[in-house]
């Protein structure tokens, strides 16, 4: 790692020095120190040097000379210029400051009593240490590369980093789940989720994702965040995970930072390999699903072709689940798809996942011997997992019926799509996930021509709504409450009206529709009318937007 002007200014020998210009050049690398009392032998200056001078002769010269000498410093590509004032120069000329800013050349004002030899010794010691750090970096690279060549992967890198730093190591994926650890026990999912949420709350995840170097976090243990150094594992600008080195009572050294930085680079090689394998698998899944959806009967040959590439359990039944997001951003879709892969692995469930446009399709296998509640619980957990890891995400989920023949994939898929359509209609706040729970709505969605539905509505609910508008009544609302629980006393209490008032309204409903709300067979017709009314209103509202 380069020794920069910024590093030099942190040294104790510069504690009374002042950076007066050229702040944008603080990352310039210092390669050596050159001391010139008089600025007359500039040919001896070299690139990367820190020039220290008393600037003898500058005090009584004009601005043109200041410009020419600063231009010479710039051409020589000096790292910085330190000028001692108080002897020959009371202050650094403004012209030099302006040009220092222009050329991004740090200009440092030294106090009269500072010793040039002390500055030279302090910087030389650090430059020598840089050489030692370079040797250590080469050693780290050899060790970590050796673990990859020996096919030890992420686990080998974790063990090597633990030996090199003596700090417990956690290697985490993008979702802050432990992939590997060394020198520490695995952490519970609850602990890691608390840590992640606290990190997000404190703005640390966004900060660390923007960096390419280790970042030390301390003083937040009360908020579930252990003292640690965290560095993102990234490739092509995308964060794939993190390396966490726990403090564990020991201070971090520069060598620790070197090892962790190299470890993150090599981890990215291993994780990008996994990422590409995952991408290939998702592409296979997507093509397979396309064939199953577009073909009424996929051929036996094609099915054999796909079964060699995609694991299809034989002794299991399946349902198609569709996850629709409120975003078509490809990176987000990919992240959610990857999370689902991890989720199904952890649950020991076969879930074949693919994403396209703004939806994720899952071919979800489950044991025929398990109760239906097991699938419902799994879907609920899946939804909670997505919402836990992605802030402000809105999901629309649909699950088709269960089948045991892959040729019925299209049926289950279309059923899941109908659930999504139903949810978008937002019928009285009902949000379904399973097709089998949609009840009579399943029939309504199957009717291509809404003319018959409009006719049914006109014979049942329309007369009530027209009467309500004309007489400022609430026959429709009263009917809804009564049909939920056909009991005069209970319904009247819920409506906050007298039981005789409700009886009057029910009689008026019978008069207008020729349907008696007290008869079971007529109750079914009236319920159907209300459902069709809600369905048509929701459909018209959705079409309008």
């Amino acid at each position: 790692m380069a020794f920069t002007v910024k590093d030099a200014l942190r040294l104790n020998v510069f504690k009374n020095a002042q950076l007066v210009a050229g702040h944008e050049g603080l990352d310039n690398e210092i390669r050596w120190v050159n001391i010139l009392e008089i600025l007359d032998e500039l040919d001896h200056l070299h690139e990367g040097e820190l020039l220290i001078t008393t600037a003898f002769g500058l005090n009584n010269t004009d601005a043109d000379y200041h410009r020419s000498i600063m231009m010479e410093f710039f051409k020589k590509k000096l790292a910085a210029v330190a000028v001692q004032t108080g002897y020959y120069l009371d202050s650094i000329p403004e012209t030099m400051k302006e040009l220092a800013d222009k050329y991004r050349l740090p200009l440092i004002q030294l106090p009269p009593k500072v010793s040039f030899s002390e500055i030279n010794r302090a910087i030389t010691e650090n430059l020598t240490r840089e050489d030692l750090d370079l040797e250590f970096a080469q050693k780290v690279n050899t060790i970590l590369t050796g673990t990859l060549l020996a096919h030890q992967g992420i686990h080998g890198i974790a063990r090597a980093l633990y030996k090199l730093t003596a700090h417990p190591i956690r290697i985490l994926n993008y979702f802050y789940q432990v992939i590997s650890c060394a020198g520490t026990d695995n952490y519970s999912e609850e602990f890691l989720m608390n840590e992640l949420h606290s990190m997000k709350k404190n703005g640390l995840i966004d900060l660390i994702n923007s960096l390419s170097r280790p970042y030390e976090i301390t003083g937040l243990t009360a908020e579930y965040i252990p003292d640690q150094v965290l560095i993102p594992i990234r490739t092509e600008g995308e964060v794939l995970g993190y390396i966490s080195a726990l403090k564990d009572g020991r201070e971090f050294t520069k060598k620790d930072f070197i090892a962790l930085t190299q470890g993150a680079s090599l981890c990215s090689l291993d994780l990008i390999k996994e990422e590409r394998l995952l991408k290939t698998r998702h592409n296979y899944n997507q093509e397979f699903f396309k064939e199953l959806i577009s073909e009424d009967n996929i051929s036996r040959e094609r099915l054999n072709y796909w079964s060699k590439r995609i694991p299809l359990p034989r002794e299991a039944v399946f349902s198609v689940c569709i996850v629709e997001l409120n975003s078509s951003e490809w990176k987000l879709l990919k992240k959610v798809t990857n999370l689902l892969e991890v989720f199904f692995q952890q649950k020991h469930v076969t879930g074949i996942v693919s994403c396209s446009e703004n939806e994720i399709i899952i071919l979800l296998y489950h044991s025929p011997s398990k109760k239906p509640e097991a699938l419902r619980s799994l879907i609920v957990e899946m939804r909670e997992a997505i919402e836990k890891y992605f802030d402000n995400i809105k999901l629309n989920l649909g699950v088709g019926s269960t089948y045991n023949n892959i040729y019925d994939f299209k049926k289950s898929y279309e059923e899941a799509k109908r659930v999504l359509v139903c949810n978008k209609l937002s019928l009285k706040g009902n949000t379904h996930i399973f097709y089998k729970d949609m009840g009579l709505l399943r029939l309504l969605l199957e009717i291509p021509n809404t003319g018959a539905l409009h006719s049914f509505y006109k014979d049942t609910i329309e007369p009530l709504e027209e009467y309500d508008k004309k007489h400022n009544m609430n026959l429709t609302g009263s009917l809804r409450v009564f049909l939920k629980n056909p009991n005069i006393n209970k319904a009247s209490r819920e409506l906050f009206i007298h039981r005789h008032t409700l009886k009057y309204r029910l009689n008026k409903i019978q008069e207008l529709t020729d349907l008696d709300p007290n008869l079971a067979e007529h109750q079914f017709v009236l319920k159907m009318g209300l459902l069709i009314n809600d369905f048509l209103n929701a459909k018209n509202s959705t079409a309008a937007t």
Side-chain angles (χ1 to χ4, degrees):
M1 296 173 66
F3 182 73
T4 65
V5 177
K6 187 190 296 182
D7 296 327
L9 290 174
R10 292 192 185 114
L11 298 176
N12 190 56
V13 74
F14 280 101
K15 67 179 179 181
N16 295 319
Q18 182 183 1
L19 179 68
V20 295
H23 293 75
E24 292 187 17
L26 284 172
D27 289 328
N28 292 351
E29 180 183 358
I30 297 175
R31 299 178 185 173
W32 202 245
V33 179
N34 198 330
I35 299 174
L36 291 178
E37 290 277 345
I38 305 172
L39 297 173
D40 57 353
E41 295 184 359
L42 302 185
D43 290 339
H44 295 297
L45 298 176
H46 296 92
E47 181 179 346
E49 288 183 338
L50 167 63
L51 171 63
I52 304 175
T53 179
T54 57
F56 177 78
L58 273 181
N59 194 30
N60 298 318
T61 55
D62 58 22
D64 288 338
Y65 180 67
H66 299 156
R67 291 190 189 94
S68 66
I69 204 164
M70 288 298 291
M71 174 62 78
E72 195 64 29
F73 293 161
F74 174 67
K75 286 180 179 177
K76 292 291 185 180
K77 298 181 180 179
L78 295 182
V81 176
V83 179
Q84 188 178 48
T85 56
Y87 293 110
Y88 306 111
L89 203 62
D90 292 329
S91 62
I92 297 176
E94 290 301 318
T95 308
M96 292 182 69
K97 293 179 185 178
E98 291 170 7
L99 291 172
D101 285 332
K102 178 181 176 181
Y103 297 144
R104 298 179 180 179
L105 177 63
L107 194 56
I108 303 162
Q109 183 169 310
L110 300 175
K113 294 184 179 180
V114 71
S115 166
F116 286 6
S117 62
E118 287 179 7
I119 293 176
N120 186 36
R121 185 185 305 112
I123 291 179
T124 302
E125 284 176 358
N126 277 274
L127 291 176
T128 305
R129 195 176 299 125
E130 285 294 315
D131 291 336
L132 294 175
D133 289 343
L134 181 59
E135 287 181 22
F136 178 72
Q138 291 170 341
K139 175 187 173 185
V140 169
N141 186 61
T142 301
I143 292 170
L144 294 177
T145 304
T147 64
L148 289 183
L149 292 174
H151 305 291
Q152 295 175 24
I154 293 289
H155 301 299
I157 292 174
R159 289 192 296 269
L161 288 175
Y162 176 51
K163 287 181 181 178
L164 287 163
T165 66
H167 287 281
I169 300 293
R170 301 181 300 173
I171 299 181
L172 309 151
N173 64 14
Y174 176 81
F175 308 107
Y176 221 74
Q177 298 167 331
V178 175
I179 306 171
S180 183
C181 58
T184 180
D185 294 330
N186 207 340
Y187 284 74
S188 69
E189 182 183 352
E190 182 183 3
F191 182 93
L192 290 167
M193 282 306 305
N194 287 334
E195 184 179 343
L196 176 61
H197 286 156
S198 290
M199 297 266 282
K200 286 182 176 180
K201 186 180 73 175
N202 286 281
L204 290 170
I205 286 292
D206 288 339
L207 172 63
I208 289 159
N209 285 350
S210 69
L211 302 174
S212 55
R213 57 177 175 78
Y215 184 84
E216 187 168 0
I217 302 168
T218 57
L220 293 172
T221 52
E223 298 185 50
Y224 302 101
I225 304 175
D227 291 343
Q228 61 185 299
V229 163
L230 205 62
I231 180 170
I233 302 168
R234 63 170 70 247
T235 180
E236 298 174 356
E238 185 177 358
V239 175
L240 301 179
Y242 308 91
I243 295 180
S244 163
L246 302 174
K247 192 170 185 180
D248 201 32
R250 294 180 62 255
E251 295 298 323
F252 291 101
T253 67
K254 191 173 182 180
K255 287 185 176 181
D256 295 334
F257 278 55
I258 291 170
L260 293 170
T261 303
Q262 297 245 13
S265 297
L266 289 174
C267 276
S268 69
L269 297 176
D270 202 73
L271 290 184
I272 195 64
K273 184 170 65 178
E274 292 294 324
E275 189 87 358
R276 285 170 181 163
L277 287 172
L278 204 56
K279 183 179 179 182
T280 301
R281 188 159 76 241
H282 289 163
N283 288 340
Y284 273 133
N285 296 347
Q286 187 178 26
E287 291 303 314
F288 179 48
F289 291 169
K290 279 182 181 177
E291 285 194 33
L292 289 172
I293 294 166
S294 60
E295 300 287 338
D296 287 332
N297 283 302
I298 186 172
S299 68
R300 177 64 62 182
E301 290 76 19
R302 291 300 295 167
L303 200 55
N304 288 336
Y305 169 83
W306 286 116
S307 63
K308 293 175 183 176
R309 289 157 178 79
I310 300 171
L312 301 174
R314 294 184 179 180
E315 302 299 324
V317 294
F318 71 87
S319 301
V320 174
C321 174
I322 302 176
V323 181
E324 200 172 64
L325 309 184
N326 60 329
S327 170
S328 57
E329 184 187 344
W330 178 247
K331 279 188 178 180
L332 177 62
L333 278 167
K334 192 173 76 168
K335 292 291 186 191
V336 175
T337 304
N338 291 353
L339 172 64
L340 291 175
E341 289 274 4
V342 174
F343 174 80
F344 292 131
Q345 285 175 14
Q346 291 175 340
K347 297 295 178 182
H348 305 290
V349 171
T350 300
I352 299 170
V353 188
S354 166
C355 64
S356 60
E357 297 180 359
N358 69 328
E359 69 178 20
I360 298 166
I361 304 171
I362 307 162
L363 176 57
L364 191 56
Y365 279 92
H366 42 103
S367 172
S369 61
K370 286 189 177 180
K371 294 181 179 179
E373 289 77 16
L375 178 60
R376 291 179 181 274
S377 297
L378 182 71
I379 296 298
V380 170
E381 286 183 56
M382 182 185 80
R383 178 175 209 144
E384 289 174 350
I386 297 172
E387 291 173 342
K388 270 195 299 188
Y389 285 105
F390 298 96
D391 299 327
N392 304 318
I393 196 168
K394 291 184 179 178
L395 305 176
N396 187 6
L397 268 66
V399 181
S401 299
T402 297
Y403 296 94
N404 58 13
N405 192 326
I406 194 63
Y407 288 103
D408 291 320
F409 176 94
K410 187 175 181 179
K411 284 185 190 176
S412 191
Y413 171 79
E414 289 175 346
E415 289 166 354
K417 289 291 278 187
R418 290 189 189 101
V419 177
L420 300 182
V421 171
C422 180
N423 290 340
K424 286 176 184 175
L425 293 175
S426 301
L427 293 171
K428 298 300 177 189
N430 291 329
T431 302
H432 301 279
I433 294 179
F434 289 85
Y435 180 71
K436 60 172 18 178
D437 294 340
M438 287 171 54
L440 291 172
L441 285 170
R442 289 160 60 172
L443 297 178
L444 300 184
L445 288 167
E446 293 290 347
I447 299 174
N449 186 349
T450 57
L453 299 180
H454 280 285
S455 177
F456 197 98
Y457 158 72
K458 286 181 179 179
D459 292 339
T460 53
I461 305 304
E462 186 179 58
L464 308 183
E465 290 189 328
E466 288 181 350
Y467 187 90
D468 286 342
K469 287 178 185 176
K470 188 174 180 180
H471 298 90
N472 194 26
M473 286 281 284
N474 187 23
L475 296 181
T476 310
S478 299
L479 179 63
R480 283 186 189 278
V481 173
F482 179 75
L483 291 177
K484 279 195 301 181
N485 187 355
N487 180 291
I488 291 286
N489 292 328
K490 289 182 179 179
S492 59
R493 281 198 297 271
E494 187 173 339
L495 288 163
F496 298 102
I497 59 176
H498 196 275
R499 57 194 300 273
H500 292 302
T501 304
L502 180 56
K503 278 186 177 181
Y504 169 79
R505 291 181 183 180
L506 295 177
N507 289 334
K508 179 59 69 175
I509 290 169
Q510 183 178 358
E511 179 186 321
L512 293 169
T513 64
D514 202 27
L515 294 166
D516 185 355
N518 294 293
L519 295 178
E521 60 268 30
H522 288 182
Q523 287 174 4
F524 176 80
V525 176
L526 289 167
K527 281 181 181 179
M528 194 69 181
L530 288 170
L531 183 62
I532 289 172
N533 180 36
D534 294 340
F535 178 77
L536 293 174
N537 286 338
K539 202 164 188 179
N540 291 336
S541 175
T542 305
T545 57

